[in-house]
């Protein structure tokens, strides 16, 4: 029986066998050399190593972190400066990452005696903000306070309903600053926040679980008295929450908002 030539195995050259071995490891997911030398995963160390390699002429490109995401709503200097302009911008601007067809506009006059602020429209708000089941709860409270819906300013921090939003991330993307600007344009005398945990986080409060203890809403134009309450879904589901909120409103307003 004849033997394969020296330097081959089963008729394959040594270089072909080496290439096949490397290809096998590459398919297995090993695409770099192994080393017993400890490697740092810290970004600062990686930058320093990249600079050292570049200076040494190793051809390694310096480490560049990805650019930050664009601020939600774009640059603050480009935000509308009147409430009417803000309403139109809120529904149309491409700088908000939400489908324009699903956005819901705020409603109400500038300088209203009360601003009702929601984290976002409710899932059943189809005809407008607070047009669903939660709106009936709000209308009942307003009637007891001697106010009609068209006398108050109703707004939401988000223009659409978003299941389980990450409020911390939304704040990092600039939504909290945009909300403060919106409130400054509306210039209400008081603010009732129905969704205290999300709004509190959005505004940068360090203890959102203690939002019920907050008494003011800070915005670009200063601060106004505020009540931070449970969201509408909780008020609808648990009548005890409505009773507690009503007692707070009586203490807060002295029953006279007009």
């Amino acid at each position: 029986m004849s033997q394969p030539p020296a330097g081959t195995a089963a008729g394959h050259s040594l270089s072909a066998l080496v290439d096949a071995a490397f290809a096998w490891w590459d398919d297995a997911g090993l695409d770099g050399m192994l080393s017993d030398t400890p490697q740092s995963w810290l970004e600062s160390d990686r930058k320093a190593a990249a600079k050292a390699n570049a200076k040494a002429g190793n051809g390694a490109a310096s480490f560049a972190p990805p650019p930050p995401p664009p601020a939600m709503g774009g640059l603050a200097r480009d935000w509308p400066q009147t409430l009417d302009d803000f309403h139109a911008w809120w529904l149309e601007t491409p700088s908000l990452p939400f489908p324009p067809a699903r956005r819901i506009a705020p409603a109400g006059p500038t300088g209203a005696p009360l601003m009702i602020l929601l984290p976002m429209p409710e899932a059943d708000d189809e005809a407008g903000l607070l047009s669903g089941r939660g709106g009936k709860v709000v209308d009942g409270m307003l009637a007891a306070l001697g106010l009609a819906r068209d006398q108050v300013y109703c707004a939401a921090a988000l223009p659409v309903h978003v299941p389980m939003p990450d409020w911390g991330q939304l704040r990092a993307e600039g939504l909290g600053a945009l909300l403060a600007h919106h409130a400054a344009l509306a210039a209400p005398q008081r603010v009732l926040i129905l969704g205290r945990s999300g709004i509190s986080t959005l505004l940068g409060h360090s203890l959102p679980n203690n939002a019920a203890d907050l008494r003011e809403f800070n915005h670009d134009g200063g601060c106004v008295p505020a009540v931070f309450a449970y969201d509408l879904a909780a008020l609808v589901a648990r009548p005890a929450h409505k009773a507690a909120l009503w007692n707070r409103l009586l203490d807060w307003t002295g029953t006279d908002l007009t």
Side-chain angles (χ1 to χ4, degrees), residues 72-73 76 79-83 86 89-90 96 115 117-119 153 155-158 167 170-171 173-188 191 193 198-205 216-224 228:
M72 190 168 294
W79 292 345
Q81 297 303 309
T82 68
L83 194 59
F86 186 90
W89 176 87
W90 186 249
L96 294 175
M115 175 180 180
L117 177 59
L118 311 174
Y153 187 74
L158 286 171
W167 294 109
L170 289 170
R171 169 176 165 75
E173 294 174 1
L175 186 61
L178 182 58
L179 174 59
H181 178 72
H182 185 180
L185 295 179
V191 181
I193 296 169
I199 297 293
S200 177
T201 301
L202 197 59
L203 296 176
H205 299 144
E216 291 182 334
F217 179 91
N218 297 318
H219 58 73
D220 289 354
C223 62
V224 293
F228 288 71

Side-chain angles (χ1 to χ4, degrees), residues 82-185:
T82 68
L83 194 59
D84 288 341
D85 289 344
F86 186 90
H87 286 185
W89 176 87
W90 186 249
L91 295 177
E92 300 171 357
T93 178
S95 62
L96 294 175
F98 307 104
R102 293 177 49 210
R103 299 182 193 180
I104 296 179
T110 305
L114 181 65
M115 175 180 180
I116 296 177
L117 177 59
L118 311 174
M120 56 187 167
E122 296 295 298
D124 60 349
D125 282 350
E126 297 180 357
L129 199 61
L130 293 172
S131 62
R133 185 181 177 189
K136 296 179 180 179
V137 175
V138 170
D139 287 340
M141 288 191 298
L142 293 178
L145 292 170
L147 291 171
R149 178 80 74 89
D150 59 5
Q151 292 178 279
V152 304
Y153 187 74
C154 300
L158 286 171
V160 301
H161 181 81
V162 178
M164 300 181 67
D166 184 341
W167 294 109
Q169 180 61 33
L170 289 170
R171 169 176 165 75
E173 294 174 1
L175 186 61
L178 182 58
L179 174 59
H181 178 72
H182 185 180
L185 295 179

